[in-house]
Amino acid sequence: MINIDSYAYSNHLKKIHPGEKSLFAMITLAVCLTSPTVITPLIVLALMAGLIIFKAGIPGRVFLKLLLVPFSFLVLSVLTIAFSISTDPSGFWIAETINGLTIGIRYPDLNTAAQLFLRSLGAVSCLYFLALTTPMTEIITVLHKLRVPVIITELMLLIYRFIFVFMETAITIKRAQSSRLGYVSLKISYRSLSRLFSALLGKVFVKSQELYNAMAARCYTGEIKVLTKKYPVNLRNYLLIIGLELPLILINLLGRR
Amino acid sequence: MPEIILEAFNLDYSYPDGTKALRTINLKIEKGEKLTILGSNGAGKSTLFMQFNGLYRPNSGSIKYQGQAISYKNKPLIELRKKVGIVFQDPDSQLFSSSVYQDISFGPLNLGLSDQEVEARVDQALIDTETTDLEYKPTHLLSYGQKKRVSIAGVLAMEPEVIIFDEPTAGLDPRHAREFMQLLKNLSDEGKTIIISTHDVDLAYSWSDRLVIMSSGEIIAQGEPGELFLQPELIEQADLALPWLLEIYCGLVEKGWFPTSTPLPKTREELLLILPLASMNISPIPKDSK
């Protein structure tokens, strides 16, 4: 997760307008999810992999690893769809009958499973594209412009910032504990970990008070107003998005018949 | 008579748990002056700063801005905070956004300025604190010193009349500490009133017009840096040390290198200037020792 975050700030597509990237990722996601065939998800997967690896300059290894995260979960759920158990042995494509119970795969189920699998993987790759190329702060700004309630965007802003503050604090405490043999045995580890959590909880209150004071000192009145660095709007990118999405939508429509 | 911009009058403050943090503080701050508050940890420096822009409310006594006791109602409080800015000691508790640009724009936007004006101010603050190259980096990937500079930029962009820095050079490397002092000088030349707190006696001695020494919530002395540092019992009481410039100066006076009437050197250059050349004096090394 932390890796994704640092790539978001250092990839080759970081200077592209976050709105354009979000639009592209979301349309492609919708097209991929509504696809009736496996062709669109495959194209989407290839397209996103190409963009992430060659355009954004993120190592292929990293992208593959990220795809493996939902992979095991996907395989498990797809298997349950593909396999069925029945007392009626007819209609199976591959099957084994034991004591009158038939366990096997029906052809239409296999089709559904494969489609679902690829569709999910394609959709995940769209989200990875957005997450790997667009910093969280920019995504929050886009959400704010889309009139997502202020309470949500402000919370996102603060939570995102404080994930890192607390992680740093937790790492420091953990390091201090380890250097004094705080994790030498299981029993001691439990005790150290519980102390780490209670110390962290205490810090949460202190930090939030300090943050409030610091914000009040800068005339905070209850609404967090910030400016974001402006990105140039690129007409070519919009044309590119249309040029890529139209054929995909066409493929979807043709597949429907 | 110089104009008094900020004043603490008979200020008393205890923390909610009953700890007395400030006892009968009386302090007048002149417009445009460079004031340093010296004191050991827990002397009450940061607490006093929080009083100066209304974050804490005194139990008794008052804070006056341009002669007017400040009101703790919302509107006047915001007016006060537009004029008195604080840079906090820990940048992690000041930076609320992960984006450097967003964080710096927060203060000026709260002043109700136009977007163009805010952009211009943010860009200027980035230049003044040498953080322009950090603009696209998230705050959590910055070093401590970089975060510190960004948090300074966040207050500079609001262009307050009085700027309070809580331990500004703690955690900065020598180069950036030096550049920060240059920034302070520029702000001072623009006519800003600057208050800093520090443990760095050398900095306090060379930079300030006036020095305030605090100990256990009280002001135990205030005056010219040269005067205060030459009172050993005072330095002892406040757990401080002598600036190296004064230590050398006193040693040289004692050994007769120059008369006691010589003015105190404020900087290294001044000391080197008044130091007589060895050939013009009797050399302290006996010549017949060869």
Side-chain angles (χ1 to χ4, degrees), chain A residues 47-68:
Chain A
L47 180 68
M48 288 302 175
L51 283 175
I52 289 171
I53 297 167
F54 298 109
K55 274 286 174 193
I58 285 146
R61 190 172 36 84
V62 174
F63 179 57
L64 260 179
K65 254 192 195 160
L66 286 174
L67 275 187
L68 283 180

Side-chain angles (χ1 to χ4, degrees), chain A residues 13-217:
Chain A
L13 295 177
K14 69 173 175 194
K15 296 259 166 85
I16 293 188
H17 198 289
E20 292 165 12
K21 286 183 281 193
S22 314
L23 186 72
F24 173 63
M26 287 307 126
I27 295 183
T28 318
L29 180 78
V31 169
C32 180
L33 285 177
T34 53
S35 156
T37 62
V38 293
I39 303 165
T40 316
L42 274 176
I43 296 173
V44 167
L45 194 59
L47 180 68
M48 288 302 175
L51 283 175
I52 289 171
I53 297 167
F54 298 109
K55 274 286 174 193
I58 285 146
R61 190 172 36 84
V62 174
F63 179 57
L64 260 179
K65 254 192 195 160
L66 286 174
L67 275 187
L68 283 180
V69 175
F71 201 81
S72 51
F73 165 74
L74 261 180
V75 167
L76 275 180
S77 43
V78 156
L79 281 182
T80 58
I81 294 173
F83 279 91
S84 30
I85 305 171
S86 168
T87 46
D88 175 17
S90 65
F92 277 96
W93 183 49
I94 308 168
E96 194 70 48
T97 311
I98 310 157
N99 295 337
L101 266 183
T102 310
I103 302 173
I105 303 171
R106 285 195 182 100
Y107 194 72
D109 288 347
L110 184 68
N111 212 5
T112 317
Q115 233 183 66
L116 193 71
F117 180 77
L118 285 171
R119 226 190 271 162
S120 317
L121 218 54
V124 165
S125 71
C126 293
L127 288 179
Y128 276 147
F129 170 78
L130 190 63
L132 284 164
T133 60
T134 317
M136 194 64 193
T137 46
E138 307 295 347
I139 296 177
I140 297 170
T141 311
V142 171
L143 289 177
H144 184 71
K145 288 213 176 106
L146 289 176
R147 313 229 170 255
V148 168
V150 174
I151 180 85
I152 295 174
T153 52
E154 282 185 2
L155 272 178
M156 283 176 82
L157 181 94
L158 293 176
I159 291 171
Y160 177 66
R161 163 87 182 111
F162 276 82
I163 287 174
F164 295 96
V165 173
F166 288 122
M167 204 168 53
E168 214 168 279
T169 316
I171 291 170
T172 315
I173 297 175
K174 174 101 192 283
R175 217 178 272 148
Q177 287 177 329
S178 306
S179 70
R180 281 175 290 162
L181 303 180
Y183 292 90
V184 78
S185 73
L186 193 65
K187 195 179 150 202
I188 292 176
S189 295
Y190 278 132
R191 205 177 57 196
S192 296
L193 197 65
S194 77
R195 290 203 178 142
L196 189 152
F197 276 115
S198 60
L200 213 51
L201 185 72
K203 295 229 171 173
V204 171
F205 290 113
V206 175
K207 282 268 183 198
S208 66
Q209 189 55 50
E210 281 179 359
L211 182 78
Y212 178 78
N213 276 343
M215 286 172 79

Side-chain angles (χ1 to χ4, degrees), chain A residues 5 160-161 218 221 227 229, chain B residues 92 95 103 105 135 140:
Chain A
D5 186 69
Y160 177 66
R161 163 87 182 111
R218 287 200 276 165
T221 48
L227 268 197
K229 191 79 186 163
Chain B
D92 267 329
L95 303 174
D103 196 275
S105 70
E135 203 179 334
H140 54 262

Side-chain angles (χ1 to χ4, degrees), chain B residues 54-84:
Chain B
L55 287 171
Y56 288 172
R57 200 176 174 157
N59 297 110
S60 66
S62 60
I63 294 283
K64 293 178 186 169
Y65 183 79
Q66 290 182 323
Q68 285 270 324
I70 63 170
S71 149
Y72 291 86
K73 292 200 186 84
N74 264 334
K75 272 213 174 126
L77 213 49
I78 283 172
E79 285 308 309
L80 174 74
R81 288 170 185 166
K82 285 180 185 175
K83 305 281 169 46
V84 183

